[in-house]
């Protein structure tokens, strides 16, 4: 009886483990073998999408994105919502992830929308209900939300409407086990952080996925910002620029004070996830293939922030 019982337990446990291997996120299955830093360092695909205006859909070259970032030793690929909309997106992207052994770390969201405009809410909410479940199926961990700008300071009523929609988006992300965060361009942090402060007054529990370079370009001191709001950081974007504001080919070429930024992040105990986001000036001819730019950027960031 003891042998039969042991045999049944073995079969049951083996079946449970086999099922678990299908349900566990890819990070548990070993796709994070290259990057073992405390802060998971990813790459946002904007530099590829920038070649596909006006919708920025780089689906035709999406496998190259996964290949390049895997070569560079990054933990994951941060998508844009547009590549999640095709009916075959989950199947196709999952195959790229498996083939090149790199995670889908998350997605940014908000291109072309103004969340303060109540008339846009039905369209945005319908889209959110499409892309968030698909991101979850791909093992995505983060969802960086851009609320959209109006070319002016938003009214209190507009900020109310924006917060109402954001609360729904945040709730849906959390239901799917995805970490939502507020991603800024310049318009959220201009005018003494008018937009961001308005959102945080209405949703004080909201987390941040701040973009360091857009802070700088909006005239905000990134070190002071981190020391003030760093407790809310779960994600951040990293890009470099020269003194004249022109973006560099890879991170580490410019004059951004990453040493001071790294010290501020350390002081606030940041241990979330970070994404490098490359962007080139108009008509720029890079010296290196993109995969090398990613690798150089990843190596520099890990050294500068002591994330290796």
């Amino acid at each position: 009886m003891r042998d039969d019982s042991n045999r049944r337990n073995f079969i049951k446990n083996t079946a449970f483990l086999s099922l678990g291997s299908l349900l566990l996120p890819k990070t548990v299955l070993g796709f994070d073998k290259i990057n073992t830093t405390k802060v998971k360092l990813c790459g946002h695909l904007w530099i590829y999408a920038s070649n596909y205006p006006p919708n920025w859909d780089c689906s035709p070259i999406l496998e190259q994105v996964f290949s390049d970032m895997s070569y560079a030793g990054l933990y994951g690929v941060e998508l844009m919502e547009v590549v999640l909309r095709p009916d075959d997106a989950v199947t196709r992207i999952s195959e790229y992830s498996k083939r090149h052994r790199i995670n889908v770390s998350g997605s940014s969201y908000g291109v072309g929308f103004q969340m303060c405009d109540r008339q846009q809410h039905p369209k945005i909410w319908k889209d959110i209900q499409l892309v968030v479940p698909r991101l979850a199926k791909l093992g995505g961990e983060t969802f960086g939300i851009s609320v959209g700008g109006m070319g002016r300071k938003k009214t209190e009523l507009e900020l109310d409407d924006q917060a109402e929609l954001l609360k729904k988006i945040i709730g849906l992300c959390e239901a799917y086990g995805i970490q939502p965060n507020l991603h800024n361009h310049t318009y959220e942090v201009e005018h003494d952080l008018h937009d961001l402060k308005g959102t945080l007054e209405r949703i004080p529990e909201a987390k941040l996925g701040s973009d360091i370079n857009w802070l700088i370009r909006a005239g905000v001191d990134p070190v002071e910002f981190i020391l003030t709001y760093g407790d809310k950081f779960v994600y951040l974007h990293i890009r470099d620029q020269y003194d004249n504001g022109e973006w560099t080919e890879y991170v580490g070429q410019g004059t951004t004070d990453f040493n001071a930024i790294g010290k501020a992040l350390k002081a606030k105990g940041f241990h979330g996830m970070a994404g490098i986001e490359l962007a080139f000036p108009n008509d720029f001819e890079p010296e290196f293939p993109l995969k090398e730019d990613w690798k150089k950027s990843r190596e520099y960031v890990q050294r500068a922030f002591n994330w290796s």
Side-chain angles (χ1 to χ4, degrees):
M1 290 179 63
R2 187 178 296 112
D3 289 344
D4 289 343
S5 176
N6 289 341
R7 186 179 298 108
R8 285 195 299 272
N9 287 337
F10 173 78
I11 293 171
K12 180 175 70 175
N13 291 338
T14 301
F16 175 78
L17 290 171
S18 297
L19 176 61
S21 68
L22 297 176
L23 299 178
L24 287 172
K26 294 188 291 296
T27 52
V28 179
L29 297 178
F31 284 15
D32 59 345
K33 65 182 182 65
I34 297 174
N35 188 323
T36 58
T37 59
K38 187 174 183 181
V39 173
K40 298 172 181 176
L41 190 55
C42 313
H44 186 278
L45 54 67
W46 167 252
I47 192 63
Y48 304 91
S50 64
N51 292 307
Y52 290 86
N55 297 321
W56 320 114
D57 184 3
C58 64
S59 293
I61 60 167
L62 193 54
E63 183 166 10
Q64 180 191 341
V65 176
F66 280 80
S67 176
D68 287 355
M69 293 191 190
S70 177
Y71 168 86
L74 291 165
Y75 167 81
V77 176
E78 185 182 5
L79 306 173
M80 293 172 65
E81 73 269 21
V82 64
V83 302
L84 290 165
R85 291 182 183 133
D87 292 339
D88 67 339
V90 172
T91 301
R92 187 163 35 81
I93 296 172
S94 179
E95 179 57 34
Y96 298 157
S97 176
K98 292 174 184 176
R99 186 177 301 155
H100 298 287
R101 301 189 61 78
I102 183 170
N103 300 282
V104 172
S105 60
S107 178
S108 60
Y109 186 87
V111 175
F113 290 124
Q114 288 78 39
M115 294 188 182
C116 67
D117 181 358
R118 180 171 286 276
Q119 292 185 345
Q120 296 185 39
H121 285 194
K123 181 179 180 180
I124 296 172
W125 182 239
K126 182 179 180 180
D127 192 47
I128 288 287
Q129 291 177 296
L130 174 71
V131 301
V132 167
R134 290 183 177 181
L135 180 62
K137 288 180 180 179
L138 291 166
E141 301 170 57
T142 65
F143 196 65
I145 307 164
S146 297
V147 295
M150 299 293 285
R152 55 169 172 78
K153 292 172 68 172
K154 293 171 186 173
T155 67
E156 293 300 308
L157 180 58
E158 286 173 331
L159 290 170
D160 288 342
D161 290 342
Q162 179 171 287
E164 179 182 320
L165 180 58
L166 279 172
K167 288 177 182 178
K168 291 175 64 177
I169 297 172
I170 289 170
L172 186 67
C173 288
E174 291 176 345
Y176 277 94
I178 295 171
Q179 175 65 71
N181 60 83
L182 302 178
H183 173 72
N184 69 275
H185 292 84
T186 55
Y187 42 78
E188 291 95 345
V189 292
E190 292 174 325
H191 310 296
D192 190 31
L193 311 182
H194 171 76
D195 197 306
L196 180 61
K197 286 179 178 178
T199 296
L200 292 178
E201 287 172 3
R202 292 160 174 81
I203 318 176
E205 70 275 15
K207 302 299 182 182
L208 301 184
S210 300
D211 187 299
I212 301 300
N213 185 249
W214 285 126
L215 288 172
I216 293 170
R217 295 169 88 84
V220 177
D221 181 345
V223 171
E224 181 179 341
F225 185 89
I226 292 167
L227 294 177
T228 303
Y229 294 100
D231 292 336
K232 291 182 168 294
F233 276 35
V234 294
Y235 194 71
L236 73 150
H237 269 192
I238 299 166
R239 193 189 303 117
D240 199 2
Q241 67 178 45
Y242 298 108
D243 277 338
N244 63 4
E246 188 173 282
W247 287 315
T248 62
E249 181 172 351
Y250 55 85
V251 179
Q253 289 180 301
T255 55
T256 305
D257 192 351
F258 287 114
N259 182 52
I261 291 167
K263 288 180 179 178
L265 289 169
K266 184 177 181 180
K268 300 302 291 187
F270 176 71
H271 59 275
M273 189 182 291
I276 297 167
E277 184 181 5
L278 300 180
F280 295 159
N282 292 334
D283 302 319
F284 178 77
E285 290 294 333
E287 181 181 356
F288 301 99
L290 271 175
K291 65 179 184 179
E292 297 295 342
D293 288 329
W294 287 116
K295 184 177 180 181
K296 290 175 182 293
S297 298
R298 190 264 302 166
E299 291 173 343
Y300 175 82
V301 169
Q302 288 182 329
R303 290 195 308 270
F305 289 179
N306 196 27
W307 287 347
S308 58

